Amino acid sequence: MNDYKITNKFLTVTVTETGAELTSVKANNGGYEYLWQADPKIWKRHAPILFPNVGRLKDDSYTFNGVKYHLPQHGFARDIKWDLIDKSSSKLIFQLESNEDTLSKYPFKFVLQAVYELKNFELKVNYIVKNTDNKKMIFSIGGHPAFNANFKNTSISANQREFDRYTLNGNYLNPSPIGKINFSYAHKISRSDFLNDALILKADKDLTELFLQTNVPDSESDEKQLERSTRIA
């Protein structure tokens, strides 16, 4: 398994070829690690790419054109080796193409790319999905990053004022909203937000941006708190 790094004045970023998964986003000043470091006792991943399905299908299966297929929770892209097709000091492009194994689970030909690019104190992540088949392709795609944050001083803000809020019913999404969450002001995260598993929000069709903001140490020996802002969606 190969790991690849990009770096600039502010950050050093590491991505592994398995799943093209982001595994580290570290500040060069002070060495703070922004990304969860995959403690297997809690959660063994860092930031998997979910494709061609986000979430779990009923009985982990579906039928297309009369044929039944099996897909695990969050798809297969996170567990497959991707090809590194372009690399510079500040940019990595990984690619995954359909093959006999993927076609046995998901009967569509595709090319999927993950692009990681550093720009100052910001890491931009883009997913590009190309349909190389002769039929309409059905898919969903998502990021699943986990960040190191402190509940005492972490909040979420957004460019959309209000979201419908949903919850899970067992392994599946409850289709009826349980209420709304208001982002007129930054929403301070607490453990109560996750009593029913994930905090699930319905966004507008237009571009929606969420910002996770937390205070982190400027250095291990310095008690001064340095505010960082990380774009998460």
Side-chain angles (χ1 to χ4, degrees):
M1 181 176 65
N2 293 319
D3 294 336
Y4 299 92
K5 294 181 184 291
I6 51 176
T7 188
N8 63 10
K9 179 181 177 181
F10 305 101
L11 295 170
T12 296
V13 170
T14 306
V15 183
T16 184
E17 64 183 359
T18 301
E21 184 177 0
L22 186 66
T23 59
S24 176
V25 181
K26 186 174 286 188
N28 293 335
N29 178 18
Y32 184 84
E33 175 62 70
Y34 289 92
L35 207 63
W36 168 252
Q37 287 304 291
D39 182 347
K41 295 179 182 178
I42 301 173
W43 191 52
K44 66 179 182 178
R45 302 180 189 269
H46 304 265
I49 297 172
L50 316 183
F51 177 89
N53 53 301
V54 176
R56 171 163 281 161
L57 301 173
K58 186 176 181 181
D59 299 324
D60 291 330
S61 63
Y62 66 102
T63 300
F64 180 77
N65 285 346
V67 180
K68 189 173 183 178
Y69 297 90
H70 174 83
L71 268 178
Q73 183 182 22
H74 297 325
F76 49 71
R78 61 183 180 168
D79 296 315
I80 295 178
K81 177 183 174 182
W82 293 45
D83 296 319
L84 180 69
I85 62 170
D86 194 17
K87 183 182 186 300
S88 69
S89 61
S90 61
K91 189 175 183 178
L92 297 170
I93 302 178
F94 290 86
Q95 182 166 289
L96 177 65
E97 292 191 53
S98 54
N99 53 48
E100 288 186 7
D101 183 55
T102 67
L103 289 169
S104 69
K105 307 168 187 175
Y106 176 68
F108 303 94
K109 296 178 182 178
F110 66 88
V111 173
L112 172 60
Q113 292 181 350
V115 183
Y116 299 94
E117 186 173 12
L118 278 175
K119 290 189 175 182
N120 296 319
F121 202 83
E122 184 176 62
L123 172 64
K124 292 182 175 291
V125 182
N126 288 310
Y127 305 134
I128 301 170
V129 183
K130 300 178 182 179
N131 181 0
T132 58
D133 217 320
N134 56 6
K135 57 180 177 287
K136 183 177 181 180
M137 188 170 79
I138 303 168
F139 74 94
S140 57
I141 189 168
H144 197 329
F147 299 101
N148 288 321
N150 189 321
F151 279 109
K152 292 181 180 180
N153 52 20
T154 299
S155 63
I156 299 177
S157 56
N159 68 341
Q160 179 179 329
R161 179 174 178 177
E162 195 172 64
F163 294 83
D164 286 331
R165 182 176 180 180
Y166 292 78
T167 188
L168 295 175
N169 182 8
N171 291 322
Y172 309 107
L173 178 69
N174 186 333
S176 300
I178 62 170
K180 294 183 181 292
I181 186 168
N182 193 301
F183 282 106
S184 297
Y185 302 95
H187 173 79
K188 186 174 181 180
I189 292 178
S190 68
R191 293 190 182 277
S192 63
D193 286 323
F194 307 101
L195 291 177
N196 294 314
D197 205 284
L199 182 63
I200 304 170
L201 310 176
K202 183 178 180 180
D204 287 339
K205 292 182 179 179
D206 296 331
L207 177 66
T208 299
E209 294 180 341
L210 292 178
F211 296 90
L212 175 69
Q213 185 166 297
T214 188
N215 292 331
V216 301
D218 192 19
S219 68
E220 293 182 1
S221 60
D222 191 352
E223 295 181 357
K224 178 183 177 182
Q225 297 294 302
L226 180 66
E227 186 176 87
R228 305 295 197 196
S229 180
T230 304
R231 180 171 298 178
I232 61 174

